[in-house]
Amino acid sequence: REIAQRATEASSVRLGASELDQQKYDELFAVVENDILQLRVVLQAVEAKERERSWRRGQTSGELDEARLVDLAIGEKSVYKKLGPKDHAQLVQRLPKRLCFLVDVSGSMAYFNGDGRLDRLCATAVLLMESLAGLEHKYRY
């Protein structure tokens, strides 16, 4: 616990967060702690599919395959090509997925905070950032 406490204090100093900021963050974290665990499971389970398309040659309909004009002249029927998915789709994620979050920080969020909209926004931001922590190899945000 002492090591965790020192790490928290070090990160607070590095970020320039006050004790009040840390307390507020802890409150927001407590609100979304279970949701963070659920979202992390979903984010870790995402598999990437490289959806490359290629020309499928030897089709009986589609665009005329210029490389098969001689075959067309002798009566061959499979001289067309179609654009379609590759036969062997790769499931390896080469580049991280790019995520962009738009957050409303206008004055109206604080002015009309009677319904808790700013608090929900802050809790959602904590949920997203904590869920994505450690998944930088899969997501860039």
Side-chain angles (χ1 to χ4, degrees):
R1 287 187 177 195
E2 290 177 23
I3 295 172
Q5 181 66 25
R6 279 187 267 154
T8 302
E9 290 172 3
S11 65
S12 295
V13 169
R14 189 180 71 233
L15 295 173
S18 68
E19 183 67 32
L20 182 62
D21 292 337
Q22 187 62 41
Q23 286 176 345
K24 183 63 176 172
Y25 184 84
D26 291 341
E27 289 173 16
L28 292 170
F29 185 83
V31 168
V32 294
E33 190 170 9
N34 292 332
D35 298 324
I36 290 170
L37 297 174
Q38 292 175 358
L39 185 56
R40 280 191 68 76
V41 168
V42 170
L43 291 172
Q44 288 172 344
V46 169
E47 292 291 332
K49 293 182 184 176
E50 294 291 329
R51 294 208 171 141
E52 295 182 32
R53 296 175 9 151
S54 63
W55 287 105
R56 304 182 97 191
R57 299 183 183 275
Q59 303 293 315
T60 56
S61 64
E63 292 185 35
L64 183 62
D65 189 355
E66 297 87 15
R68 308 266 327 251
L69 290 176
V70 174
D71 296 335
L72 177 65
I74 62 170
E76 180 69 36
K77 294 187 191 277
S78 58
V79 293
Y80 298 96
K81 61 182 180 179
K82 288 183 181 178
L83 195 58
K86 274 192 169 180
D87 294 332
H88 56 311
Q90 297 176 350
L91 293 177
V92 177
Q93 184 173 339
R94 294 183 196 165
L95 298 172
K97 302 279 185 199
R98 286 176 260 151
L99 303 176
C100 180
F101 303 106
L102 181 66
V103 180
D104 183 3
V105 293
S106 63
S108 64
M109 291 296 286
Y111 185 76
F112 296 112
N113 195 29
D115 61 354
R117 64 180 70 184
L118 185 60
D119 297 330
R120 287 192 308 272
L121 174 70
C122 292
T124 303
V126 169
L127 167 70
L128 291 171
M129 297 302 118
E130 288 291 336
S131 297
L132 289 167
L135 296 174
E136 288 80 13
H137 63 283
K138 285 183 121 177
Y139 303 100
R140 181 171 293 148
Y141 54 95

